[in-house]
């Protein structure tokens, strides 16, 4: 310490040494005031009770973090000659984090019965002091009209939307039943992982490295975004007011780029789950993952991590084996500042609220949880009300392996699926414990199921449910290995239960069982009644069973004793190769099944749209198909009386809908007709021009200048004639993308054409088949034959057979006659030949000969067809049978003559001639199968075929 010398004082003030004073009163600038909090509204006590108040305050506030020694200071003042506290207290913590936690958890804490503490940071005092004393109105912002988030509900046709994610593209479509969906909006790289609708359909959420973005409105603009780096999972509250995001990476503030939105504070450092307000975008609170002890393995994330109550008022999460923590929105604080301490708690669920419930009435929140057996204490299911935490009902269970909680959609019934074991633990079985919460005493009904229950599902808004059970010896448990997502296929039974009210005490009873199926998933229609039984993610089976539980269309009345199982009908069984996902639309009228590339062993990537009866309406194979989701609909705003009135007048509304459907169909038909007419106009104009040019080139050489005009008129467009009705339904049978060949009225006349004309028939070498319900008219169009007389149909077939037989007898004529194949003629000729040869055969061999003729004809046709196919020809099996059968006609004539003429010198030349005639005729008909220089190899089997038949004709009994 410097000594004081009065004679040697420094000349200037700057030369004075203050080092000893600075050392004695040095202030650590690193500490600041971040560790200090101010507690307002503290009890006012006199000097005698200050020590007791100090101890109590220190005990309460030290729970959130260590307080510095002497860190609690209670200011005092004089009041009527006594020293009393001023009503506020300063507390100095060891760390700023402890001070921040004190503000967050102890603010508004009740201290005694009269004082609610107000806890704030000391550093906030300056911020509060800077508030101006006079109010200054903020600048009024210009009103900007925003798009309505539920505008899609005003669609005039009441259609539903769905989103499809394929490759890098995300697209929104309108469903059009059996027509191609209407495209609404698309964007490339709209999301990086997947997309998700909000529960009521107002928002479409997309995932990005920086966070989540919500989109909506008619223009699909960005509504709001939430910054959460590395976000992987999200969960909306039931009413879309709040959003929870989760990332597997703890939040790190220094990793957020400078200049980018940063709603986080130091309190959020290291947390992984964040709660947001979807209206304002505000960060309400963040949470870390559940802590893990040193010896405990990291817990798998169970999503949703937080579970919302039906009213969005509460959300909770479980710490397995310890407690359930319930938080209240929008304050995000722990309800009553404490969790539900429950030893061994394994799972819990909030009770849902009926969609048609009156929102004005108070709704009692209920929560159910279960605990396993511990020591001598049995397993237990407990139902409590909230926030009173009053126990409503408990149920003790024994020999329990696991429990699953299933609420009915209206919250009236709770089904607990209990997997139990015998005392020896060598076998297992399942019980269903059903709680009826609508009754005051909450009775519990027990249903024992001997087989293993694989799945359980309530009917929405109903009193029925379905279960999938199996007694397959191959079933053990979900395989530990194997491809992710792939599920083994077992033989299963599906049983439907209903609430039987025929007696005084209503009980659940099974009323229908579908046995020996492979179903592993249940999908109820949102409106109930219909259900899809699906076999998903299997490598061998992809069945879809559509079941109607009220097939007779009548609603069962209470008290009826009729068998409810009689109305259960399997209306359709379909298959979608590689199906991985099934989803009903919000109306319950359509079902979409998809095969996603995200799933292993998926088949043809794409989707199918079915109606509720299992009829395929639309199918689309989509490359790199990933995801398809129906857009949810909010609950109806109609009252029950209005809905009842609509059901009563449904027939009147149906007429309006049918008229709209008919108008839409006619509109589409007019567009197709106009398109086809344009194509035909282009075709005839082009052909007329080419014919005219060709006629001009040929006229000088033929010495006939009139030919050009004849060619010009030969192919006049019939649509250019005003007398032709362009709305003729015959025109609807012509597809615009098919090469239309019009047969000329004079078959012997040929015309120049850019390519060979294809007649609408079943020709050899042509992929175009004849219409099974029509015939060719004089103008070449397919005519409907469903309404013609039967005699006309028979006579047309007879004339066709006669024409083909004439062609066999005169092979040099039109060889294309037999290309339009049929099986009537071959059947008659084969039957006639078999009868004739069996008559001539010995009595014991008649049956063998009769059968042999049929076998030779069909096997011969198969051999000829296979040989032609291997040689590269274009021929089908039935075309081969037609040709070989009709060319049997000469041999049938020879067999008929041989029946009356027994002289060998007459029968031999006759059989040889018939053999040659049949072979020659069939070879001519097979000239168009494009074999080239391999034609002889194709003729050889036909030679053997007719040689065997001719030999059988020659060596008959009477020869």
């Amino acid at each position: 310490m410097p000594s004081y010398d009065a004679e040697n004082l420094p000349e200037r003030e700057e030369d004075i040494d203050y080092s000893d004073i600075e050392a004695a009163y040095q202030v650590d600038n690193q500490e600041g005031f971040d560790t200090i909090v101010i507690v307002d509204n503290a009890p006012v006590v006199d000097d005698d009770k200050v020590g007791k108040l100090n101890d109590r305050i220190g005990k309460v506030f030290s729970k959130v973090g260590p307080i510095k020694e002497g860190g609690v200071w209670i200011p005092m003042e004089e009041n009527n000659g006594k020293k009393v506290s001023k009503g506020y207290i300063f507390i100095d913590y060891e760390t700023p984090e402890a001070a921040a936690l004190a503000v967050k958890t102890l603010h508004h804490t009740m201290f005694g019965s009269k004082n609610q503490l107000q806890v704030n940071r000391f550093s906030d005092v300056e911020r509060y002091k800077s508030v101006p004393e006079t109010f200054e109105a903020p600048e009024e912002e210009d009103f900007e009209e925003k798009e309505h988030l539920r505008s899609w509900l005003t669609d005039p046709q009441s259609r539903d939307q769905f989103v499809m994610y394929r490759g890098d593209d995300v697209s929104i479509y309108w469903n059009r039943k059996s027509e191609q969906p209407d495209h609404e909006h698309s964007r490339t790289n709209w999301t990086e992982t997947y997309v998700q609708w909000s529960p009521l359909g107002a928002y479409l959420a997309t995932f990005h490295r920086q966070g989540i973005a919500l989109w909506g409105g008619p223009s699909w603009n960005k509504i709001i975004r939430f910054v959460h780096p590395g976000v992987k999972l999200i969960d909306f509250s039931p009413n879309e007011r709040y959003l929870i995001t989760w990332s597997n990476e703890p939040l790190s503030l220094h990793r957020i780029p400078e200049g980018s939105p940063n709603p986080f504070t130091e309190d959020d450092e290291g947390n992984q789950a964040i709660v947001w307000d979807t209206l304002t975008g505000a960060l309400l609170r963040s949470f870390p993952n559940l802590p893990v002890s040193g010896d405990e393995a990291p817990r798998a994330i169970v999503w949703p991590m937080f579970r919302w109550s039906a009213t969005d008022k509460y959300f909770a999460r479980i710490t397995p084996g310890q407690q359930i923590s319930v938080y209240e929105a929008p304050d995000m604080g722990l309800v009553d500042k404490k969790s539900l301490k429950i030893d061994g708690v394994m799972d819990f669920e909030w009770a849902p609220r009926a969609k048609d419930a009156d929102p004005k009435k108070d709704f009692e929140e209920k929560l159910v949880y279960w605990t396993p057996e511990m020591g001598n204490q049995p397993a237990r299911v407990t139902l409590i009300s909230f926030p009173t935490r009053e126990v409503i009902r408990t149920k003790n269970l024994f020999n329990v392996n696991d429990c699953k909680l299933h609420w009915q959609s209206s919250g009236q019934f709770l089904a607990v699926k209990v997997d139990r074991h015998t005392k020896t633990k060598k076998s297992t079985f399942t019980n269903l414990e059903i709680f009826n919460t609508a009754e005051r005493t909450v009775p519990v009904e027990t249903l024992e199921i001997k087989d293993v229950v694989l799945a359980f599902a309530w009917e929405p808004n109903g009193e029925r449910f379905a279960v999938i059970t199996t007694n397959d010896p191959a079933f053990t448990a979900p395989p530990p290995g194997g491809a992710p997502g792939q599920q083994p296929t077992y033989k299963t039974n599906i049983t439907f239960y209903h609430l039987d009210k025929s007696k005084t005490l209503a009980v659940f009873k099974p009323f229908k069982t579908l046995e020996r199926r492979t179903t592993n998933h249940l999908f109820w229609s949102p409106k109930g009644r219909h259900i899809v039984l699906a076999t998903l993610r299997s490598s061998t089976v992809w069945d879809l069973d559509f079941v109607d539980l009220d097939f007779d269309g009548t609603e069962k009345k209470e008290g009826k004793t009729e068998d409810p199982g009689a109305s259960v009908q399997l209306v359709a069984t379909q298959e979608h190769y590689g199906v991985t996902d099934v989803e009903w639309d919000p109306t319950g009228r359509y079902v979409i099944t998809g095969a996603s590339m995200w799933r292993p062993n998926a088949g043809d990537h794409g989707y199918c749209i079915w109606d509720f009866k299992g009829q395929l309406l639309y199918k689309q194979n989509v490359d790199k198909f990933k995801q398809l989701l129906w857009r949810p609909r909010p609950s109806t705003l109609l009252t029950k009386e209005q809905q009842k009135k609509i059901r009563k007048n449904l027939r009147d509304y149906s007429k309006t809908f049918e008229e709209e459907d008919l108008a839409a169909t006619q509109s589409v038909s007019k567009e197709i007709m106009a398109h086809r007419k344009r194509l035909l106009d282009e075709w005839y104009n082009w052909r007329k021009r080419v014919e005219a040019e060709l006629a001009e080139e040929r006229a000088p050489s033929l010495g006939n200048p009139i030919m050009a005009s004849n060619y010009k008129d030969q192919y006049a467009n019939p649509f250019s004639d005003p007398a032709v009705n362009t709305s003729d339904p015959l025109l609807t049978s012509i597809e615009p993308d098919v090469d239309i060949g019009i047969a000329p009225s004079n078959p012997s006349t040929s015309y120049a054409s850019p390519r060979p004309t294809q007649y609408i028939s079943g020709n050899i070498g042509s992929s175009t088949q004849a219409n099974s319900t029509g015939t060719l008219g004089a103008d070449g169009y397919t005519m409907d034959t469903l309404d013609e007389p039967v005699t006309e149909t028979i006579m047309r077939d007879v004339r066709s057979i006669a024409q083909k037989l004439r062609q066999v007898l005169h092979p040099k004529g039109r060889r294309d006659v037999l290309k339009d194949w049929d099986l009537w003629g071959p059947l008659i000729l084969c039957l006639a030949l078999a009868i004739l040869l069996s008559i001539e055969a010995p009595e014991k061999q008649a049956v063998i000969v009769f059968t042999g003729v049929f076998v030779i004809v069909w096997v011969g046709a198969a051999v000829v067809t296979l040989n032609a196919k291997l040689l590269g020809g274009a021929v089908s099996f039935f075309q081969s049978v037609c040709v070989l059968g009709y060319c049997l006609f000469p041999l049938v004539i020879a067999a008929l003559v041989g029946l009356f003429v027994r002289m060998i010198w007459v029968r031999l030349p006759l059989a040889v001639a018939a053999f040659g005639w049949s072979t020659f005729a069939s070879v001519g008909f097979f000239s168009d199968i494009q074999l080239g220089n391999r034609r002889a190899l194709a003729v050889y089997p036909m030679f053997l075929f007719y040689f065997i038949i001719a030999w059988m004709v020659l060596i008959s009994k009477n020869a």
Side-chain angles (χ1 to χ4, degrees):
M1 178 178 177
S3 60
Y4 173 74
D5 187 357
E7 297 181 358
N8 297 318
L9 293 176
E11 297 180 359
R12 297 176 304 170
E13 184 179 354
E14 290 80 1
D15 297 333
I16 299 176
D17 184 9
Y18 295 101
S19 60
D20 55 340
I21 300 177
E22 292 175 351
Y25 300 98
Q26 184 178 5
V27 178
D28 187 0
N29 295 328
Q30 300 297 324
E31 288 188 6
F33 301 104
D34 292 338
T35 60
I36 302 175
V37 297
I38 302 177
V39 182
D40 288 308
N41 201 27
V44 177
V45 298
D46 56 23
D47 195 22
D48 297 335
K49 298 181 180 179
V50 168
K52 186 176 181 181
L53 176 62
N54 193 321
D55 295 339
R56 288 187 60 191
I57 287 291
K59 185 176 180 180
V60 171
F61 281 79
S62 62
K63 293 180 179 179
V64 299
I67 301 175
K68 293 180 180 179
E69 185 178 355
V72 178
W73 180 48
I74 304 176
M76 307 293 288
E77 65 179 353
E78 291 285 342
N79 187 4
N80 296 328
K82 293 183 179 181
K83 283 189 175 182
V84 296
S85 61
K86 292 185 176 182
Y88 58 89
I89 304 171
F90 295 92
I91 300 176
D92 192 2
Y93 283 94
E94 293 282 352
T95 62
E97 290 77 14
L101 188 59
V103 173
K104 180 176 293 186
T105 59
L106 298 177
H107 186 55
H108 290 166
T109 299
M110 291 301 298
F111 189 80
S113 59
K114 298 181 180 180
N115 300 90
Q116 186 180 40
L117 302 181
Q118 309 292 327
V119 184
N120 295 282
R121 288 176 179 267
F122 182 78
S123 56
D124 292 337
V125 173
E126 294 295 329
R127 182 163 57 89
Y128 297 147
K129 286 176 58 178
S130 62
V131 176
E133 296 182 0
T134 58
F135 172 74
E136 295 181 4
E139 295 183 4
E140 185 177 352
E141 299 181 358
D142 295 335
F143 173 74
E144 182 180 353
E145 186 176 359
K146 296 183 179 180
E147 296 179 336
H148 203 292
L149 297 181
R150 294 185 176 177
S151 59
W152 93 95
L153 297 175
T154 62
D155 177 58
Q157 302 177 38
S158 300
R159 298 173 297 177
D160 281 293
Q161 288 184 342
F162 60 84
V163 59
M164 181 172 66
Y165 183 22
R166 53 169 296 182
D168 296 328
D169 299 332
V170 176
S171 303
I172 311 294
Y173 293 93
W174 292 100
N175 179 33
R176 294 182 59 206
K177 302 179 183 178
S178 59
E179 302 292 334
Q180 182 177 358
D182 280 344
H183 178 262
E184 171 72 9
H185 190 77
S186 288
R187 290 191 185 183
T188 302
N189 297 321
W190 201 352
T191 186
E192 297 182 13
T193 53
Y194 62 98
V195 295
Q196 181 174 328
W197 291 109
S198 59
L200 303 181
Y203 305 106
L204 176 67
T206 57
F207 291 71
H208 310 273
R209 295 179 183 177
Q210 298 83 7
I212 298 294
L214 301 186
W215 312 76
S219 302
W220 292 102
N221 295 323
K222 184 188 297 182
I223 306 300
I224 199 169
R225 66 174 180 173
F226 305 98
V227 179
H228 191 175
V231 61
K232 294 294 187 297
L233 300 170
I234 65 172
D235 180 45
F236 285 91
S237 63
N239 298 320
E240 299 181 341
R241 179 59 195 274
Y242 305 104
L243 173 68
I244 297 179
T245 61
W246 178 85
S247 173
N248 59 334
E249 304 173 2
L251 186 63
S252 179
L253 298 182
H254 72 272
R255 296 179 58 184
I256 298 178
E258 295 184 3
S260 62
N262 185 2
F264 307 106
T265 64
E266 295 179 355
D267 301 336
D268 304 313
E269 183 80 24
N271 293 342
Q272 293 176 261
I274 303 175
V275 186
W276 309 85
D277 188 326
T278 56
L279 297 181
T280 64
L283 188 156
L284 301 178
R285 184 168 179 178
S286 63
F287 296 87
N289 282 352
L290 293 176
V292 179
S293 61
D295 300 335
E296 186 180 359
R299 293 190 180 99
I301 295 298
V302 178
W303 195 256
M305 178 184 295
F306 293 87
R307 298 177 187 176
W308 290 91
S309 66
T311 59
D312 282 11
K313 187 175 182 180
Y314 304 107
F315 63 104
R317 75 168 172 179
I318 186 173
T319 303
Q322 300 179 23
Q323 62 186 16
I324 299 175
S325 302
V326 183
Y327 302 87
E328 186 174 7
D331 295 336
M332 299 294 135
L334 196 64
V335 176
D336 295 338
K337 305 298 181 180
K338 59 182 178 180
S339 300
L340 291 168
K341 302 290 184 179
I342 307 169
D343 291 338
V345 62
M346 298 299 295
D347 195 10
F348 79 99
E349 289 288 348
W350 290 99
R353 185 177 190 176
K355 292 185 177 180
D356 58 351
D358 188 354
K360 297 180 181 179
K361 293 184 178 180
D362 293 335
F363 175 71
E364 181 185 12
E365 300 281 8
K366 300 186 187 72
L367 184 147
V368 61
Y369 63 87
W370 79 277
T371 56
E373 296 175 279
M374 295 182 296
N376 296 327
Q377 181 180 346
R380 183 172 296 167
V381 176
T382 305
L383 179 67
I384 66 173
S385 64
F386 208 85
T388 61
R389 311 191 187 200
E390 178 183 354
V391 176
I392 301 175
R393 185 71 160 86
T394 60
K395 174 68 175 179
N396 293 334
L397 305 170
F398 301 91
N399 302 328
V400 175
N401 289 336
D402 191 20
C403 288
K404 298 295 181 184
L405 309 173
H406 301 275
W407 279 101
Q408 183 215 26
S409 59
S410 63
Q412 178 180 355
F413 295 101
L414 165 68
V416 182
K417 185 175 77 71
V418 185
D419 295 330
R420 306 179 65 180
H421 58 78
T422 59
K423 292 183 178 181
T424 59
K425 298 185 178 181
K426 293 183 178 180
S427 61
T428 60
F429 60 98
T430 301
N431 278 5
L432 293 178
E433 307 288 344
I434 302 180
F435 294 67
N436 187 351
T437 62
E439 297 189 20
R440 185 175 181 181
T441 58
V442 190
V444 180
E445 180 184 353
T446 301
L447 300 177
E448 184 173 338
I449 302 175
K450 296 182 180 180
D451 298 329
V452 178
V453 176
L454 301 181
F456 175 98
W458 282 102
E459 178 186 21
N461 303 317
E463 297 174 341
R464 297 181 290 197
F465 60 85
V467 295
I468 302 177
T469 61
T470 182
N471 54 10
D472 194 331
F475 176 82
T476 53
Q486 181 180 350
Q487 297 187 4
T489 303
Y490 304 112
K491 289 297 181 182
T492 58
N493 301 325
I494 297 88
T495 304
F496 298 97
Y497 290 77
H498 76 120
L499 185 61
D500 185 3
K501 300 180 181 179
S502 60
K503 299 181 180 180
T504 305
L505 181 61
V507 294
F508 284 92
K509 290 185 177 181
F511 65 95
K512 186 69 174 180
T513 299
L514 303 178
E515 298 181 343
R516 299 191 61 79
R517 318 200 75 80
T518 58
T519 302
N520 55 19
H521 286 77
L522 301 170
F523 297 94
W524 281 100
S525 165
K527 304 301 181 182
R529 176 176 172 176
H530 298 93
I531 186 173
V532 175
L533 314 177
T535 306
L536 299 187
R537 301 158 198 169
S538 171
S539 59
T540 55
V541 184
W542 309 277
D543 290 342
L544 300 170
D545 295 332
F546 293 80
V547 180
D548 186 351
L549 271 67
D550 298 319
F551 184 72
D552 56 3
T554 59
E555 296 183 358
K556 299 293 181 292
K557 296 182 179 180
E558 295 185 9
K560 281 196 172 183
T561 58
E562 298 177 357
D563 180 16
S567 62
V568 178
Q569 181 70 33
L570 178 63
V571 294
T573 297
Q574 301 288 356
E575 183 180 75
H576 183 178
Y577 174 65
V579 60
T580 59
D581 301 281
V582 178
E583 186 174 1
W584 283 89
D585 83 317
T587 66
R589 292 180 295 173
Y590 306 103
V591 182
I592 277 187
T593 60
S596 172
M597 64 175 292
W598 285 340
R599 303 287 186 181
N601 300 323
D604 297 331
H605 299 154
Y607 66 94
C608 296
I609 301 180
W610 317 78
D611 66 4
F612 62 90
K613 296 178 292 186
Q615 296 181 356
L616 180 62
L617 301 179
Y618 185 77
K619 181 178 181 180
Q620 181 68 47
N621 290 333
V622 181
D623 186 35
K624 297 181 180 179
F625 174 79
K626 298 178 181 178
Q627 189 181 18
L628 191 149
L629 300 172
W630 288 104
R631 188 172 191 174
R633 280 178 175 264
S635 300
T636 179
L637 299 179
L638 300 177
T639 62
K640 291 185 178 180
E641 290 73 17
Q642 291 173 324
Q643 296 179 43
K644 187 176 180 180
K645 183 179 179 180
I646 291 174
R647 293 191 186 97
K648 183 178 180 180
N649 302 321
L650 189 58
R651 292 186 177 180
D652 297 335
Y653 293 113
S654 298
K655 293 180 181 179
T656 305
F657 298 147
E658 291 172 359
E659 292 175 358
E660 293 178 356
D661 291 343
L662 180 60
T665 304
Q666 292 177 347
S667 176
V668 174
S669 300
K670 290 179 180 178
E671 295 177 2
I672 296 176
M673 290 289 297
H675 180 65
R676 291 172 177 172
K677 183 178 181 299
R678 180 177 59 81
L679 293 176
L680 286 172
D681 286 341
E682 294 177 358
W683 164 259
Y684 281 107
N685 291 337
W686 176 86
R687 189 160 190 171
K688 190 174 183 180
R689 186 179 72 253
V690 172
E691 294 295 341
E693 294 175 356
L694 183 61
E696 292 175 359
E697 293 178 0
R698 291 183 176 180
S701 61
L702 297 176
N704 186 3
I706 305 177
M707 184 177 293
S709 61
N710 292 338
Y711 272 98
K712 291 179 181 178
D713 298 334
Q714 185 65 43
Y715 287 98
N717 185 356
F719 290 93
S720 62
D721 187 356
V724 177
N725 182 12
T726 58
S727 63
D728 192 338
L730 293 177
L731 300 178
T732 61
S733 63
I734 304 175
E735 294 296 335
D737 56 348
V738 176
D739 180 23
I740 303 173
I742 306 300
S745 58
N746 184 4
S748 63
T749 307
S750 61
Y751 303 96
S753 175
R755 52 182 174 179
T757 301
Q758 294 183 352
Y759 299 92
I760 306 177
S761 61
N763 294 345
I764 295 178
S766 172
S767 60
T768 307
Q769 299 295 327
N771 192 327
S772 61
T773 62
T775 182
L776 290 178
D779 56 354
Y781 295 111
T782 301
M783 301 174 60
D784 194 3
T785 61
L786 291 176
D787 299 327
E788 70 177 4
V790 177
T791 55
E792 178 62 26
T793 303
I794 296 175
M795 292 307 299
R796 185 181 68 252
D797 292 337
V798 171
R799 288 191 295 269
S800 176
I801 293 173
Q803 185 182 13
K804 292 181 174 67
L805 292 178
R806 286 196 301 268
Q807 182 60 29
V808 172
L809 296 178
H810 186 252
K812 291 296 186 180
R814 292 184 58 194
R815 295 186 298 181
D816 60 342
V817 173
L818 281 184
K819 293 180 180 179
D820 190 6
W821 57 267
D822 69 83
L823 300 180
W824 286 111
L827 178 61
I828 295 173
L829 292 174
C830 185
L831 184 62
L833 182 61
I835 294 174
L836 292 173
L837 294 182
S838 63
I839 292 175
E840 294 186 274
E843 184 177 355
K844 294 182 179 181
Q845 299 180 2
V847 176
I848 298 176
V849 172
F850 186 88
T851 307
V853 172
F854 276 91
V855 174
I856 291 173
V857 170
W858 287 90
V859 172
V863 172
V864 171
T865 304
L866 179 60
N867 183 62
K869 287 285 188 182
L870 294 176
L871 294 174
V875 64
S876 72
F877 175 74
F878 292 109
Q879 290 167 344
S880 178
V881 172
C882 178
V883 171
L884 296 178
Y886 272 107
C887 291
L888 286 174
F889 187 43
L891 290 170
V892 173
I893 295 175
L896 180 62
V897 174
L899 185 63
F900 303 101
V901 179
R902 299 179 177 84
M903 294 173 287
I904 189 62
W905 60 271
V906 175
R907 295 169 62 95
L908 178 60
L910 184 61
V912 172
F915 160 69
W917 203 290
S918 297
T919 305
F920 177 71
S922 62
V923 170
F925 292 133
F926 275 86
S927 61
D928 294 335
I929 62 175
Q930 304 172 0
L931 292 174
N933 57 2
R934 296 185 296 273
R935 184 177 177 184
L937 296 176
V939 172
Y940 179 69
M942 287 187 291
F943 177 86
L944 292 179
F945 172 75
Y946 291 113
F947 179 79
I948 294 174
I949 300 296
W951 181 258
M952 294 178 65
V953 172
L954 183 62
I955 62 171
S956 60
K957 176 181 178 181
N958 297 325

